[in-house]
């Protein structure tokens, strides 16, 4: 089977799965290609071939060869940026890993969103700096990422009436509809406080990493996102 070399691409690793005796099947998110699946032959037999480029929480330049199958073959991988501060924090690794798994679940192959890639890198930077709560960063990143792929939860306008919920007011969020619903129209689901809604709306913007959550807001956001993702993702 003939294989052609693809142009080099910059990516982050989303997942690695051991395959057979010596190989690994890898899932990357590339800035210009979106999600990419590839096999790294011999990656388990020797670390020298790819060095640390197949580890999480770094930015890598990749070269693939592609044939007729579903998987590309990874030929070269070079680390261009590393974030050691993430790897020395259990909370940073946990929340960063959850964010990478989310990206894998909400993206499609060969469907690039450069802003999402840039926000993943911004998340690595913020987690490595350890100046903000890792969980707050992951919550804010989740809300931002969902918006970039067209899955943003609607937190301002009732799905049934089209009426905007006043700022600062609590609202019921319907996970199946992906939107708030007025109580007078049968609104049920996750009750979200006004301040929590405000923080999550803030996180939908390009300055998502500056969103702040107190303990109640954090709990509301956890419950909303857990229910929403369970309803919307397979």
């Amino acid at each position: 089977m003939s294989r052609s070399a693809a142009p080099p691409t910059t990516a982050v690793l989303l997942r690695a799965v051991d395959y057979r005796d010596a190989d690994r099947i890898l899932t990357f998110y590339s800035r210009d290609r979106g999600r990419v699946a590839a096999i790294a032959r011999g990656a388990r037999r020797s670390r020298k071939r790819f060095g640390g480029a197949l580890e999480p929480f770094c930015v890598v330049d990749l070269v693939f060869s592609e044939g007729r199958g579903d998987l590309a073959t990874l030929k070269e991988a070079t680390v261009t940026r590393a974030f050691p501060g993430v790897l020395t924090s259990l909370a940073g690794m946990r929340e960063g890993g959850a964010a990478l798994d989310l990206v894998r679940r909400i993206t499609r192959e060969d469907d690039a969103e450069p802003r999402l890639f840039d926000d993943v890198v911004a998340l690595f930077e913020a987690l490595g700096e350890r100046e903000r709560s890792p969980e707050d960063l992951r919550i804010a990143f989740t809300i931002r990422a969902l918006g970039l792929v067209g899955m943003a939860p609607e937190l301002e306008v009732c799905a049934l009436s089209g009426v905007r919920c006043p700022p600062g007011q609590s609202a019921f969020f319907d996970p199946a509809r992906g939107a708030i619903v007025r109580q007078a129209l049968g609104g049920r689901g996750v009750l979200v406080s006004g301040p929590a809604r405000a923080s999550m709306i803030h996180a939908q913007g390009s300055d998502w990493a500056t969103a702040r959550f107190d303990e109640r807001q954090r709990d509301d956001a956890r419950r909303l996102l857990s229910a929403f993702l369970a309803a919307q993702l397979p």
Side-chain angles (χ1 to χ4, degrees):
M1 178 175 62
S2 63
R3 289 186 173 270
S4 59
T9 189
T10 301
V12 293
L13 178 67
L14 301 180
R15 184 171 70 169
V17 178
D18 290 344
Y19 181 68
R20 294 183 175 173
D21 293 334
D23 305 336
R24 279 187 174 172
I25 294 177
L26 308 165
T27 305
F28 294 97
Y29 192 75
S30 160
R31 193 175 195 278
D32 56 1
R33 292 185 52 178
R35 199 177 72 206
V36 180
I39 187 167
R41 300 195 183 281
R44 296 172 60 200
R45 184 181 296 119
S46 172
R47 288 178 55 87
K48 293 182 179 179
R49 182 175 181 190
F50 298 109
L54 304 187
E55 300 298 326
F57 310 120
C58 59
V59 179
V60 292
D61 283 349
L62 306 173
V63 176
F64 300 105
S65 63
E66 297 183 284
R68 298 177 183 175
D70 293 334
L71 292 175
T73 297
L74 183 62
K75 307 301 288 185
E76 299 176 24
T78 305
V79 175
T80 58
R81 288 190 67 185
F83 301 88
V86 182
L87 294 172
T88 55
S89 164
L90 290 177
M93 291 177 64
R94 180 183 66 246
E95 303 299 343
L100 292 176
D101 186 61
L102 174 80
V103 172
R104 181 184 62 83
R105 295 173 66 197
I106 65 175
T107 55
R108 297 177 294 178
E109 292 189 6
D110 299 319
D111 186 11
E113 172 46 80
R115 291 174 298 174
L116 178 56
F117 176 87
D118 293 343
D119 284 343
V120 171
V121 177
L123 176 66
F124 291 172
E125 291 174 342
L127 288 172
E129 290 167 357
R130 303 189 190 183
E131 295 178 357
R132 295 188 288 278
S133 158
E135 185 177 14
D136 285 2
L137 287 167
R138 193 262 306 161
I139 288 171
F141 173 84
T142 298
I143 295 166
R144 168 67 170 172
L146 289 169
L148 290 176
V149 299
M151 293 180 61
E154 175 53 66
L155 300 169
E156 298 186 83
V157 177
C158 172
L160 298 182
S161 68
V163 173
R164 184 173 295 273
C165 182
Q169 182 173 304
S170 298
F172 281 101
F173 180 82
D174 184 328
R177 288 190 170 93
I180 59 174
V181 176
R182 294 175 63 193
Q183 188 173 10
L185 298 177
R188 296 290 186 274
V190 181
L191 180 61
V192 184
S193 70
R197 281 200 310 115
S199 292
M200 287 187 280
I201 291 167
H202 180 158
Q204 292 176 336
S206 59
D207 59 345
W208 59 271
T210 64
R212 295 291 190 273
F213 301 85
D214 65 22
E215 189 53 45
R216 180 181 175 185
Q217 294 165 14
R218 195 174 296 122
D219 183 62
D220 284 357
R222 285 191 204 107
R223 291 185 296 107
L224 184 150
L225 290 172
S226 177
F228 178 65
L229 293 173
Q232 300 294 328
L233 294 179

